[in-house]
Amino acid sequence: MLINVPETVVADGLRGMAAAHPELTVDVENRVVVRRDAPVAGKVALVSGGGSGHEPLHAGFVGPGMLSAACPGEVFTSPVPDQMVRAAAAVDSGEGVLFVVKNYTGDVLNFEMAAELADEEGVRVAQVLVNDDVAVTDSLYTAGRRGTGATLFVEKIAGAAAEEGAPLDRVAALARQVNEASRSFGVALTSVTTPAKGSPTFDLPPGELELGVGIHGEPGRERRAMMTAREIADFAVDAVLEDLRPHGPVLALVNGMGATPLLELYGFNAEVQRVLSERGVVVARTLVGNYVTSLDMAGASVTLCQVDEELVRLWDAPVQTPALRWGR
Amino acid sequence: MLDADFFHRWMTATAALVDREAAHLTELDSAIGDADHGSNLQRGFAAVSAALEKEPPQTPGAVLMLAGRQLISTVGGASGPLYGTLLRRTGKALGDGAAVTPGELAQALGAGVAAVAQLGGAQAGDKTMLDALLPAAEALGTSFDAGREAARAGAVATVPLQARKGRASYLGERSIGHQDPGAASSALLIEALAETAASDGGDA
């Protein structure tokens, strides 16, 4: 691993990010990344955060048109309420703050505590819970569907609405609409290696893959012998469509988990587009790349979001962040 | 009677035990979680020790409240809020007396455990820290040793269970056969309590 010691991995990464992106204010000690011009008068602020190791999520999405601030936690560990409260206070212009929370027990509990504390400090807070992963059965017997790739859709579209001056309740409603219209499915070809453990988290022999994996290397639905990109695309897209059943165009995100080359991701995307076309699903926009990653895990996920004209317009709206940038 | 110093030593003993067992906790967590429970708790209890050293609180309740707040501020994940709530609510239930009886501690811990159950929406048998803490709080009414045994047994009893809460729940049936890391670390907390009482000259 290209690190110094496990204890400073997050801080070291933030220092490097600060050096590369002077347009962000990076508080390395308190682990809060804020767009430099915050708070922006008259604008609802968006704050997200989660464990580190999923870069560019979330700090890479801080900037005009997307997040106002991000709180990176320890590797694969949610941030603490203090970070979120600090971030909310730094970006609130008086129009309120939307917390974008991925559905993991730790993120949910810490953001809930933060929302209470921020409220006591006079910051108006709304929350959206992202839970798009169809690999998990949402039932009394699980913690519910995980939040994965749809987080990017939520942060981009709600961020665009906030940039246009939409009020907090409208931004929150759009964020929930995007989440409800989105589903994901992920595949791991290798395990992930966390800096703290230094060896693969789970044992996935070469020649096998894990279908329905989460973004922390959590095992998924089943393990199988290695499949071709074509077969994986069939499996993943069908799993998403079975749950989403879109009746209109979709946004497609073909997301790399960190250690899969873009050449393979584009090849996989070709297969994803083929299946979608075969199933009669119209793709309005496609994004391919490493956006919601899992350290050094090889693999990919597919996220689809059913959209209308307004959502496509907000998706196309200008965005200027380290990892997502277009239209300005 | 148990005074602020006793609670301070309990937290320090917990920090030492967590330190010693960190690799084991992380190993348990890598089987059904994401391999960081040991290092996260280690960081949290180190912060607890440092905060208690810096400005030692004067009452048992204040010690636990401070410890809980430190855990919430430093651990992250689900463990931070859950452990933080456990200690904060136990401390709150102890009130502001200068010393408490073991019976009062057992009762207060019961209130703390109930708060954890409410926050996490979990119950006995979900393969969580509650599976160690619920029987421990109950048995502490009898003796510290009984509490320790109940916590240990409760943690071991999570092995054959299927997880229904937290990240391990995503594994479904595949979570069976592994001890819950949260129950294991909770047993350490109670173990440290019994050790602290024993070092005071026997079971109370």
Side-chain angles (χ1 to χ4, degrees), chain B residues 1 33 40 46 70-71 91 94 107 135 143 179 181 189:
Chain B
M1 294 289 275
N40 284 343
Q70 285 298 318
L71 293 178
L94 287 174
Q107 205 160 27
S143 73
Q179 185 171 168
L189 179 76

Side-chain angles (χ1 to χ4, degrees), chain B residues 173-190:
Chain B
E173 285 179 5
R174 286 202 269 174
S175 65
I176 293 171
H178 302 279
Q179 185 171 168
D180 179 63
S185 59
S186 296
L188 295 180
L189 179 76
I190 307 300

Side-chain angles (χ1 to χ4, degrees), chain A residues 81 101 104-114, chain B residues 77-79 81-82 119-120:
Chain A
V101 187
Y104 289 97
T105 310
D107 294 277
V108 171
L109 294 182
N110 283 284
F111 269 107
E112 263 173 24
M113 290 194 164
Chain B
S79 309
L82 292 170
L119 180 64

